[in-house]
Structure formats: structure tokens, C-alpha cells
Amino acid sequence: VQLQASGGGLVQAGGSLRLSCVASGSSFRASDMGWYRQAPGKERELVATISSGRITTYAPSVKGRFTVSRDNAKNTVYLEMNSLKPEDTAVYYCNANVPTAWGTTYHRWGQGTQVTVSS
């Protein structure tokens, strides 16, 4: 599985962006997907996840503002971000937790897309 994230940009506080992450390969449907972010000088943190069964989780800081979804027909996971705040500024990465035929899993990361929120 290879991941290609896009959709980042510069937006004013209160605005919205939608990130997309397209996955190659046939394992997307069975993979749990996640969005992470890393701000300058900070550790990478989990933002949202969506399981293969479409169960979602969110970090408390984004709950109610961000929505994660997936389109298995397009091998794509989305992150809809509303009511953006300057503290949401970070590089956003998509992640795939891919199952193997042996019952294990492995992680794949996308290249990251920059989100900058101005005050």
C-alpha cells in the first residue's frame, strides 16, 4: 500500500479544508486508516481514525470539528476540517494499518500535507 495525501493549504481561522489520502493496492478496504499531525517542535499526534468497519475515533481537540470518512470504491480516506483554529496548524499525515495474510499488520505513511491556519 502506498499513500498520497493532498488538500492542505492556507486558511483563515474559522475556515474549512478537506484532506484526501488515496491509497494504491488492493488492501485498502481491509485497512484501518488514520490521520495524524505534527506541528513544529511537537510530537506527531493522532487526529482521527476510521476502521475497516467505519468505526471512527477523534482526538478531544478536534471532536465536533473534524470528520473522517472513507470511500472504498475510490481507495480514499478524507478528513473534513471545519472551524479551524491556529493551533490546528501542522503537517497532516495519513496512515494505513494494513492486515497481512498471516494475521499481522504493518503501517504505511503518506508524505504529509501542510495545513496552515492564520489568525
Side-chain angles (χ1 to χ4, degrees):
V1 173
Q2 292 188 335
L3 304 174
Q4 181 73 36
S6 62
L10 174 63
V11 65
Q12 289 189 332
S16 298
L17 282 174
R18 188 176 81 156
L19 306 183
S20 300
C21 176
V22 180
S24 65
S26 59
S27 300
F28 177 80
R29 186 182 298 270
S31 300
D32 296 336
M33 302 297 296
W35 285 97
Y36 291 72
R37 67 186 181 187
Q38 188 166 19
K42 295 188 177 181
E43 293 186 354
R44 190 172 296 189
E45 63 175 358
L46 178 65
V47 176
T49 65
I50 183 166
S51 71
S52 59
R54 301 181 186 274
I55 296 172
T56 59
T57 66
Y58 297 93
S61 60
V62 307
K63 199 168 187 178
R65 300 188 297 123
F66 291 11
T67 302
V68 61
S69 62
R70 63 191 297 160
D71 185 339
N72 288 341
K74 296 181 178 179
N75 274 19
T76 302
V77 61
Y78 303 98
L79 185 67
E80 185 77 34
M81 304 186 295
N82 299 314
S83 303
L84 282 162
K85 305 175 181 179
E87 52 264 43
D88 294 318
T89 295
V91 178
Y92 283 71
Y93 299 89
C94 62
N95 172 270
N97 192 20
V98 185
T100 71
W102 300 275
T104 59
T105 62
Y106 64 93
H107 284 272
R108 284 288 183 267
W109 292 92
Q111 86 286 4
T113 184
Q114 176 71 48
V115 172
T116 303
V117 184
S118 63
S119 58

